[in-house]
């Protein structure tokens, strides 16, 4: 089993280059099949979730050429299968974006129903509501969702909950519907805007992305495009919190500072210095951090995908902090692991009450999911002594070369598979 072994206690110092946004790339890659012409996508992160989606896209008959680790060409003219195999949805939940993409282009799609996952039950009723409003006949049978329409027609739609996935899926289908679709109470995340920009670069007519009302005038066809994915604000935020937890001085480069404002403002409230420039943000924290309260919310609120990471930082702050998770019901699974490192956290329903401690101590912990796994790595970097973070397969779904980037900031971290390698790392670190 692949694990990270970490010797904590070294402040992270230096500059780190942020990769392309995984969640933006997932939507954009799915949408790439909506034209029969070739699309080139650049700045995709080299992470396992992206590779899994590319396999799913190949699986339905599209041509996929990985030009290099961060660039891919996709041609959807050869698609012969409108039905996605279960093996893909099991590997990558977001392959359900092919539902909206195939339905928009071919008016027909079938995708296995994605189940819940480690962070919650994750219903998809709003996606289906949107497809139905566009005139599709949507059925759930034999574990799959099938959607079919003789024609899709523009509609006025009000989402009952703000959903990133539903906004993306319905946006894709509506792009190739007849007439105008107005989606109200849409999600406003940067990757919604990025997907809309990408679709517009292929000839779509989408206005208002980034606000809660998106207007889409359907077009009959889309054309070739070359597009660069935005930087990953969650990866950037993870390094910013790693700087805070280790009392370091880190500049995240190749970012859009505006996308990081919820994170930057919390760091400042906690007593860190945050300096923004055009495409970089520097975070340095010298003094003991102050407590604060967090409530996760849709963008521009504090992201649920940063909740475990900030909770690690708050574990080392003065006083008591309250973290309320309002998006997913099962996102405190890492708390028991963090408690094993000495954190004082009590979870009641969707709230974590964190009493700051002076220090964490290294332990063997296991990642329950992607972002919680990254948070445990931050805890290991801040803790005294050695930590081992297991189940890093989750971390690799969304962080490109995580250990290598951290080493570039002075962290003592290695990916290992055997106990012997762990002992070797410990001996070498102690010898230094
Ligand atoms: C996306 C992100 C994920 C992030 C989440 C919230 C991707 C690939 N994943 O997930 O990393 O944590 O946004 O920012 O971009 N809901 C419904 N019905 C629906 C859809 C959603 O009730 O049809 C609820 C969910 O249970 C959840 C909330 O809406 O409570 C938000 O979910 P949503 O925004 O859809 O998250 P995802 O798109 O799955």
């Amino acid at each position: 089993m692949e694990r990270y072994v970490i010797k904590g206690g070294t402040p992270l110092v230096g500059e780190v280059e942020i990769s392309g946004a995984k969640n933006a790339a997932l939507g954009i890659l799915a949408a790439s099949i909506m034209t029969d012409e070739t699309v080139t996508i650049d700045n995709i992160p080299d992470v396992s979730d992206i590779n899994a989606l590319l396999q799913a896209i190949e699986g339905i008959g599209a041509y996929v050429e990985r030009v290099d680790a961060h660039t891919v060409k996709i041609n959807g003219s050869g698609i012969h299968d409108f039905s996605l195999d279960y093996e893909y949805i099991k590997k990558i939940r977001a392959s359900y974006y092919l539902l909206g993409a195939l339905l928009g282009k071919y008016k027909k799609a079938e995708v296995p129903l994605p189940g819940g996952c480690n962070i919650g039950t994750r219903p998809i009723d709003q996606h289906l509501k949107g497809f139905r409003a566009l005139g599709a006949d949507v059925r759930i049978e034999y574990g799959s969702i099938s959607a079919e329409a003789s024609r899709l027609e523009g509609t006025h739609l009000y989402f009952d909950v703000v959903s990133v996935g539903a906004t993306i899926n319905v946006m894709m289908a509506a792009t190739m519907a007849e007439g105008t679709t107005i989606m109200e109470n849409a999600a406003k995340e940067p990757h919604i805007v990025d997907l809309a920009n990408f679709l517009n670069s292929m000839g779509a007519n989408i206005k208002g992305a980034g606000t809660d009302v998106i207007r889409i005038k359907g077009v009959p066809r889309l054309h070739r495009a070359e597009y660069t994915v935005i930087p990953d604000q969650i990866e950037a935020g993870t390094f910013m919190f790693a700087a805070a937890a280790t009392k370091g001085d880190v500049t995240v480069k190749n970012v859009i500072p505006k996308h990081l404002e919820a994170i930057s403002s919390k760091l400042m409230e906690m007593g860190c210095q945050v300096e923004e420039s055009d495409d970089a943000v520097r975070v340095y924290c010298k003094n003991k951090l102050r407590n604060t309260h967090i409530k996760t919310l849709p963008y521009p609120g504090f992201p649920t995908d940063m909740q475990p990471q900030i909770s690690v930082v708050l574990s080392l702050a003065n006083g008591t902090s309250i973290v309320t998770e309002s998006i997913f019901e099962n996102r405190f699974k890492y708390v028991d692991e963090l408690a094993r490192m000495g954190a004082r956290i009590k979870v009641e329903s969707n709230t974590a009450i964190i009493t700051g401690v002076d220090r964490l101590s290294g332990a063997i912990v296991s990642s329950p999911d992607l972002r919680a796994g990254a948070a445990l790595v931050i805890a290991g970097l801040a803790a005294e002594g050695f930590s081992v973070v297991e189940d890093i397969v989750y971390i690799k779904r969304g962080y490109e070369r995580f250990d290598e980037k951290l080493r570039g900031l002075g962290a003592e971290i290695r990916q290992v598979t055997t106990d012997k390698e762990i002992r070797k790392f410990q001996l070498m670190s102690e010898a230094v």
Side-chain angles (χ1 to χ4, degrees), residues 22-23 26 93-94 96-97 119 122-127 161-166 189 191 304-305 326-328 331:
K22 170 185 79 84
N23 287 348
L26 291 170
R93 198 187 147 77
Y96 70 174
Y97 288 155
I119 59 172
R122 306 188 84 167
I124 57 158
D125 54 299
Q126 298 304 305
H127 305 232
V161 293
V162 179
S163 160
V164 171
E189 268 68 3
H191 48 294
T304 174
D305 285 354
S326 72
I327 310 287
F328 292 114
R331 240 184 159 167

Side-chain angles (χ1 to χ4, degrees), residues 395-414:
I395 300 175
K396 292 180 160 207
R397 294 183 68 156
Y399 290 91
E400 179 174 332
R401 297 178 289 109
F402 195 38
D403 53 335
E404 189 187 318
K405 289 188 185 189
L406 287 166
R407 277 196 298 278
L409 297 170
E412 290 188 60
I413 177 170
R414 281 273 174 277

